[in-house]
Amino acid sequence: MSQSSQHWIASAGQPLRGTLEIPGDKSVSHRAVMFAALADGVSTIDGFLEGEDTRATAAIFERLGVRIETPTASRRIVHGVGVDGLRPADGPLDCGNAGTGMRLLAGLLAGQAFDSVLVGDASLSKRPMRRVTVPLAQMGARIDTGADGTPPLRIHGGQKLRGIDYTLPVASAQVKSALLLAGLYAEGGTSVAEPHPTRDYTERMLAAFGVDIEFSPGYARLRGGQRLRATDIAVPADFSSAAFFLVAASIVPGSELRLRQVGLNPRRTGLLHALRLMGADITEENPSTHGGEPVADLVVRHAPLRGIEVPEALVPDMIDEFPALFVAAACAEGPTVVRGAAELRVKESDRLAAMASGLRTLGLQVDETPDGATIHPGQLHGGTIESQHDHRIAMSFAVAGQRSDAQVRINDTATVATSFPGFDLLARGCGFGLAAG
Ligand code: S3P
């Protein structure tokens, strides 16, 4: 588990150079272990993210009676127990920092014959869960939350679920996925319509596990009562982790990095479009597919960036990349305006507030609005940043430190291991000034 005492000192290093292997995708790794556990037969997962979030999900399935082998790092062999084969755990199930883990499990466990309790760390314990428990209740599930709709989630098993047609009020792949998983246990069909299309890994992967599911951007529907057939999953490198290096190499003069075979699912690559609008020099080489997902090497070279108005249509496709985008904006010519991104306030931290206050600490002017911010670029100075128990805030300020004229101290960096274990080693290896505290 995370030790909140760790910190980093980030400062200008060398031009960034080299070829980097980015760890496996977090969203895909969570789903791979969940669906393999529910399948009939044995599935092998390659490229599994060895992060705290995804290991927490694997540990939960072990406690629910699933045998999972780890023959080598980043490989899991999952002995599926079938959709009706999970067993009750002997106590609360700890999702750690993972919103994806908790929300998808809420849907999946709502359909079981037994009761479960889901808990999380300090950050997850503050996150809104009614967005899943309200529609799940419409399906017949019984889930208790804290008074303000936060974890722990007490899920009462043995409920008869029925399918619903649900239109999501807010675009969320986690909520969509929770409803589809509950839908597997429901009588009749379950459909989900989204205000903007979100990442479709659940839909694609359920199809790969043999589930008959209809889906198109912004819509998915499946029938209850289906079984999953074991299959092998190859997890692509996580674009959200690559994002920190895309921004770092763009802003540090003299840099050129190759990020090998990064997942380029179009629902994830909004930052690539935004950075290119800002003038970034990023090319895609050696395109191929990996586990059914488009991948390519991303080659990024330093380029002068200019501020932009981030197109609102890109927001869902770059929802996890705004902390990195704020750092790119801080080093651009002219202001950058973000709108329509209120969801950032309910991520692992309030990311609008965390990035605005962190950049102000380093000397910039940032005007915050309820659903966005205007970042006024300038010379970054030194200062002390609180990561707010948020991995992406910590990594973003490690990047910002590469362009600061004095040291940036980042407190509470242990949470980086939730999504990107080894970030600091990889960063130092390609030229970052980044010392462990
Ligand atoms: C995720 C969906 C997104 C994203 C999160 C991972 C997923 O959350 O921010 O990091 O794996 O489904 P929302 O669905 O709540 O927007």
Side-chain angles (χ1 to χ4, degrees), residues 73-254:
S74 304
R75 172 172 284 189
R76 292 291 184 282
I77 299 173
V78 182
H79 298 259
V81 295
V83 280
D84 42 12
L86 298 176
R87 307 250 175 289
D90 53 4
L93 300 167
D94 189 353
C95 300
N97 189 248
T100 304
M102 185 172 283
R103 293 195 177 119
L104 269 62
L105 278 163
L108 197 162
L109 293 172
Q112 306 301 319
F114 51 85
D115 297 350
S116 310
V117 179
L118 295 175
V119 298
D121 71 1
S123 149
L124 183 54
S125 296
K126 288 191 219 136
R127 296 184 66 187
M129 292 295 148
R130 287 204 179 111
R131 51 182 61 201
V132 278
T133 59
V134 166
L136 287 172
Q138 289 175 24
M139 297 178 77
R142 277 187 56 215
I143 305 178
D144 304 326
T145 64
D148 48 358
T150 55
L153 298 184
R154 292 175 198 286
I155 304 170
H156 302 271
Q159 310 301 313
K160 204 169 152 44
L161 303 188
R162 51 192 176 272
I164 54 169
D165 297 312
Y166 191 71
T167 300
L168 290 181
V170 179
S172 165
Q174 294 177 353
V175 179
K176 168 178 66 175
S177 303
L179 301 186
L180 293 173
L181 289 175
L184 283 175
Y185 293 91
E187 200 175 284
T190 296
S191 73
V192 185
E194 306 177 280
H196 302 282
T198 63
R199 64 193 74 189
D200 56 359
Y201 298 124
T202 297
E203 298 90 308
R204 287 162 174 253
M205 210 186 290
L206 283 176
F209 277 93
V211 171
D212 182 14
I213 176 167
E214 184 195 327
F215 63 98
S216 54
Y219 180 80
R221 182 174 204 284
L222 54 69
R223 270 179 299 103
Q226 302 190 56
R227 299 194 73 85
L228 282 69
R229 203 175 48 230
T231 188
D232 295 339
I233 297 287
V235 182
D238 198 323
F239 181 86
S240 296
S241 297
F244 301 104
F245 291 98
L246 293 179
V247 170
S250 294
I251 64 174
V252 174

Side-chain angles (χ1 to χ4, degrees), residues 2-8 385-391 393-395 409-416:
S2 307
Q3 294 160 20
S4 53
S5 58
Q6 286 182 20
H7 67 268
W8 289 336
I385 304 293
E386 300 302 330
S387 80
Q388 318 277 355
H389 211 66
D390 185 333
H391 52 136
I393 301 299
M395 289 185 277
R409 180 188 159 108
I410 306 151
N411 284 335
D412 188 12
T413 57
T415 48
V416 168

Side-chain angles (χ1 to χ4, degrees), residues 193-388:
E194 306 177 280
H196 302 282
T198 63
R199 64 193 74 189
D200 56 359
Y201 298 124
T202 297
E203 298 90 308
R204 287 162 174 253
M205 210 186 290
L206 283 176
F209 277 93
V211 171
D212 182 14
I213 176 167
E214 184 195 327
F215 63 98
S216 54
Y219 180 80
R221 182 174 204 284
L222 54 69
R223 270 179 299 103
Q226 302 190 56
R227 299 194 73 85
L228 282 69
R229 203 175 48 230
T231 188
D232 295 339
I233 297 287
V235 182
D238 198 323
F239 181 86
S240 296
S241 297
F244 301 104
F245 291 98
L246 293 179
V247 170
S250 294
I251 64 174
V252 174
S255 297
E256 176 171 340
L257 288 177
R258 176 180 294 267
L259 311 176
R260 293 233 327 118
Q261 298 293 284
V262 176
L264 296 178
N265 181 303
R267 298 279 73 83
R268 297 289 300 284
T269 48
L271 180 75
L272 208 49
H273 299 293
L275 286 176
R276 283 177 175 151
L277 286 174
M278 296 174 83
D281 178 356
I282 304 171
T283 54
E284 295 164 37
E285 295 183 9
N286 304 324
S288 74
T289 56
H290 191 73
E293 291 288 329
V295 298
D297 289 358
L298 295 177
V299 179
V300 51
R301 298 180 185 87
H302 166 72
L305 302 181
R306 52 185 174 270
I308 57 166
E309 294 207 5
V310 178
E312 273 193 57
L314 282 183
V315 169
D317 294 348
M318 57 182 289
I319 194 66
D320 292 334
E321 279 61 75
F322 279 95
L325 183 274
F326 270 53
V327 176
C331 300
E333 187 73 41
T336 290
V337 182
V338 174
R339 292 193 192 90
E343 270 297 290
L344 295 177
R345 297 208 178 274
V346 289
K347 293 295 178 187
E348 286 83 328
S349 68
D350 176 342
R351 287 182 171 160
L352 289 174
M355 288 308 300
S357 90
L359 288 178
R360 280 186 207 118
T361 298
L362 303 188
L364 296 197
Q365 183 192 334
V366 181
D367 309 324
E368 216 180 309
T369 63
D371 70 341
T374 299
I375 303 115
H376 301 273
Q379 174 59 51
L380 292 165
H381 303 302
T384 298
I385 304 293
E386 300 302 330
S387 80
Q388 318 277 355

